[in-house]
Amino acid sequence: MRSPKNTATTPAHSWFVRGRLVGAAAIAFAVLVVIENVLFAVTGALPYGAPIEEVLAYYAANRDAVAIVSGLVALYLPLLLVFVTGLHGLVERRGGAGADWSRLALAAGATLSAIFVLVNVLQIGLALSADGLAEPTPAFGLVWQIHAAAFALALPMLGTTCIGSALAAHASGLTPAWQRLLGMVGGSLLLAAGLGNLAIADGSPLIFVGLLGFVAWLVWLLATGVRLVRS
């Protein structure tokens, strides 16, 4: 028979292990996303308003980079789901304060993952088709436009995930007030950018508003991840 001390210790140990797993998933997700964007910057990825001839030339010349990015996406999307699912579990185990917000973050994160899959599938299609094209075709241009539209519509889902997770983590006592503020600001910028999704898909500089919000969320993820790993 286990002693009362061992019985009491088991839930605490389980929470500790789960918290470290959720924190590690947050850190790994943020790091992989940063690597992805650095790779895009190094290869000179084009804005959505770029001429389609330049888009074709980019994907024809950077098939290997797209392959690497696709691999990164295949790694970080499961990590995102581990984070939002694990965060919801942590919130419920700490009394349930903020559980509604964590459910919102979980639903938005799952939707975001599905949209990111579409964005990446279309990008793979662009890289594969560009290798055999001498000049852009209407089909190639359509895939590029759908890719841009899917990315633009991912922004409000990203903002909702950001706000929901930030409010849930703070309400359950996992993060301090400054992290809640950081998450709220980042999420609000992403939601604001999402309102102009048509303009963003057409190459508007409004995308930089969403980029600022995304950077804020990545900082929030890293700070929260470190806090959970060390807790």
Side-chain angles (χ1 to χ4, degrees), residues 66-85:
V66 172
I68 295 172
V69 166
S70 300
L72 293 174
V73 173
L75 286 175
Y76 72 58
L77 286 184
L79 289 171
L80 173 62
L81 295 177
V82 168
F83 171 71
V84 292
T85 303

Side-chain angles (χ1 to χ4, degrees), residues 1-19 93:
M1 179 181 296
R2 290 182 300 173
S3 67
K5 180 179 179 180
N6 289 337
T7 303
T9 302
T10 300
H13 178 71
S14 176
W15 187 93
F16 175 73
V17 172
R18 181 182 291 267
R93 282 168 174 75

Side-chain angles (χ1 to χ4, degrees), residues 26-65:
I27 294 170
F29 172 81
V31 169
L32 290 174
V33 169
V34 170
I35 294 172
E36 175 193 23
N37 283 276
V38 167
L39 186 58
F40 275 134
V42 168
T43 58
L46 299 170
Y48 288 126
I52 195 62
E53 293 81 9
E54 294 182 12
V55 174
L56 176 61
Y58 172 81
Y59 280 103
N62 292 283
R63 180 168 174 166
D64 290 342

Side-chain angles (χ1 to χ4, degrees), residues 23-184:
I27 294 170
F29 172 81
V31 169
L32 290 174
V33 169
V34 170
I35 294 172
E36 175 193 23
N37 283 276
V38 167
L39 186 58
F40 275 134
V42 168
T43 58
L46 299 170
Y48 288 126
I52 195 62
E53 293 81 9
E54 294 182 12
V55 174
L56 176 61
Y58 172 81
Y59 280 103
N62 292 283
R63 180 168 174 166
D64 290 342
V66 172
I68 295 172
V69 166
S70 300
L72 293 174
V73 173
L75 286 175
Y76 72 58
L77 286 184
L79 289 171
L80 173 62
L81 295 177
V82 168
F83 171 71
V84 292
T85 303
L87 178 64
H88 178 60
L90 290 178
V91 168
E92 289 196 323
R93 282 168 174 75
R94 291 175 66 89
D100 288 340
W101 289 114
S102 64
R103 290 190 191 97
L104 176 64
L106 179 57
T111 305
L112 176 64
S113 295
I115 297 174
F116 273 171
V117 167
L118 176 61
V119 170
N120 198 54
V121 165
L122 293 171
Q123 183 159 250
I124 292 171
L126 289 168
L128 291 175
S129 59
D131 196 37
L133 293 177
E135 60 182 27
T137 63
F140 184 88
L142 178 61
V143 172
W144 173 244
Q145 289 176 335
I146 297 174
H147 167 72
F151 178 84
L153 282 172
L155 296 179
M157 288 299 98
L158 186 56
T160 304
T161 305
C162 179
I163 291 174
S165 56
L167 291 177
H170 179 72
S172 60
L174 292 171
T175 57
W178 72 267
Q179 284 182 239
R180 177 187 60 181
L181 178 61
L182 180 63
M184 287 293 294

